[in-house]
Amino acid sequence: MILNKLGFDYSNLVSCTVRRKNKMLALVSFILAPTFLLIFGTFLIMYLLGVPMEINGVQTEPTDPSYIEFITIFGAIFGSVSVLFIAFGFMGAFLKPKIYLIMDNDPELNQFFYIYDRTRRQEIYLTDKFALTYRQSYSSVTKENNPNAIRDLMNRYVFWKRIIIDDDTKITERINKTIVKIKEKTSRFSSRTRKYEFSNDIYVVPLKVTETVYSTTGGNYSSQAMHTYYFEEINHKQVFEMNPEIKNTLSSLN
């Protein structure tokens, strides 16, 4: 990871609290809403213009009961779905970001990450040498010290660990942000692109980073993830609640 050419470097980050907001709900909802709204509008325009319609092989007019029943049912269905997706979109857009990651140092000055994985209902205490995972479904802690597994966890949860800038990386400077696009070949006919938008509001590191991940297969585009990260309490001592089971396991390791 070489980001200092962009004017900042995460190696200067000692501690922080990172809040994350998932934007996929809003993105998907605002994409689907117009589709259903268009169908609803089509039925409505047909009715208002008095356009005849063939229903079950029978030509009907706007005054026919079967015509009115058909328009009412399908208009209500597509109208309701449109409103539902619009509501989900605004709900996702205005959701407050939640604490996602704590970066700090233990009493021996060993760096660790404390991660809240709410999707999998687990909390992770992650270091360069081991990881402790508390899973709510089992109410227990498991330890992982395989170097490959630790690296995979780092890349999965600490987004700046997976950013590698090379000669093929596309960097675009804007007035209030810097955009970095990293393309990864996943197979012969498909690729994955990670786009990072770093705000130019920087204190050690950018205070806001938006990550968008999408794949391309044979010309087809598919969104996989869209998150915005907010950095707080940078290089200050972090105050947070650690899961008691993880805390007890850490004590037994010392």
Side-chain angles (χ1 to χ4, degrees):
M1 177 186 65
I2 304 174
L3 293 176
N4 51 20
K5 65 173 66 176
L6 302 178
F8 55 87
D9 193 335
Y10 281 89
S11 63
N12 297 322
L13 187 63
V14 177
S15 62
C16 66
T17 293
V18 179
R19 295 181 182 271
R20 188 176 76 168
K21 182 175 182 178
N22 190 339
K23 292 190 171 182
M24 279 300 291
L25 175 62
L27 177 65
V28 173
S29 297
F30 284 135
I31 289 175
L32 293 177
T35 302
F36 289 91
L37 197 59
L38 181 62
I39 298 173
F40 170 77
T42 301
F43 280 115
L44 180 61
I45 292 172
M46 289 177 63
Y47 176 75
L48 294 176
L49 295 179
V51 178
M53 184 186 304
E54 186 176 294
I55 301 175
N56 296 327
V58 179
Q59 189 76 6
T60 60
E61 298 294 331
T63 54
D64 294 338
S66 58
Y67 187 105
I68 296 173
E69 182 182 11
F70 181 87
I71 288 290
T72 301
I73 292 174
F74 279 86
I77 291 174
F78 286 104
S80 299
V81 173
S82 300
V83 171
L84 190 63
F85 277 122
I86 292 172
F88 280 142
F90 279 106
M91 182 179 69
F94 290 103
L95 280 176
K96 292 183 179 181
K98 297 181 179 180
I99 294 181
Y100 166 71
L101 177 150
I102 304 291
M103 177 183 180
D104 207 352
N105 297 279
D106 64 18
E108 283 73 39
L109 298 182
N110 298 311
Q111 190 176 83
F112 69 85
F113 299 91
Y114 195 84
I115 301 152
Y116 298 88
D117 187 342
R118 292 178 173 82
T119 303
R120 293 182 172 88
R121 299 179 64 206
Q122 60 187 24
E123 296 178 27
I124 304 170
Y125 184 96
L126 179 61
T127 73
D128 290 334
K129 296 181 179 179
F130 69 90
L132 300 177
T133 302
Y134 173 80
R135 294 178 175 85
Q136 293 183 23
S137 55
Y138 297 103
S139 298
S140 61
V141 175
T142 58
K143 182 181 178 182
E144 178 63 71
N145 53 18
N146 182 286
N148 293 329
I150 297 300
R151 184 179 63 252
D152 290 342
L153 287 171
M154 283 286 185
N155 289 334
R156 180 189 304 170
Y157 291 108
V158 188
F159 75 86
W160 60 89
K161 296 286 187 179
R162 57 179 175 259
I163 300 177
I164 299 177
I165 294 181
D166 54 28
D167 294 337
D168 296 326
T169 303
K170 184 178 179 180
I171 302 174
T172 305
E173 298 284 349
R174 297 285 175 82
I175 295 177
N176 58 352
K177 62 185 175 182
T178 300
I179 302 173
V180 175
K181 285 187 178 181
I182 303 171
K183 192 172 184 179
E184 308 165 348
K185 196 73 175 175
T186 53
S187 69
R188 183 179 177 183
F189 300 105
S190 63
S191 63
R192 178 172 56 237
T193 299
R194 298 183 184 274
K195 182 176 76 171
Y196 296 92
E197 299 181 17
F198 298 96
S199 72
N200 289 343
D201 186 9
I202 298 174
Y203 175 70
V204 182
V205 295
L207 300 182
K208 177 182 175 182
V209 181
T210 297
E211 176 189 45
T212 305
V213 183
Y214 57 90
S215 62
T216 306
T217 304
N220 295 320
Y221 171 96
S222 175
S223 296
Q224 295 183 332
M226 188 175 184
H227 299 111
T228 297
Y229 302 91
Y230 301 88
F231 285 73
E232 303 173 355
E233 299 298 325
I234 295 174
N235 289 355
H236 295 155
K237 184 62 180 177
Q238 306 301 304
V239 179
F240 67 101
E241 290 291 332
M242 185 181 296
N243 183 275
E245 296 294 331
I246 291 181
K247 187 180 295 186
N248 291 337
T249 305
L250 276 175
S251 299
S252 66
L253 295 177
N254 297 331

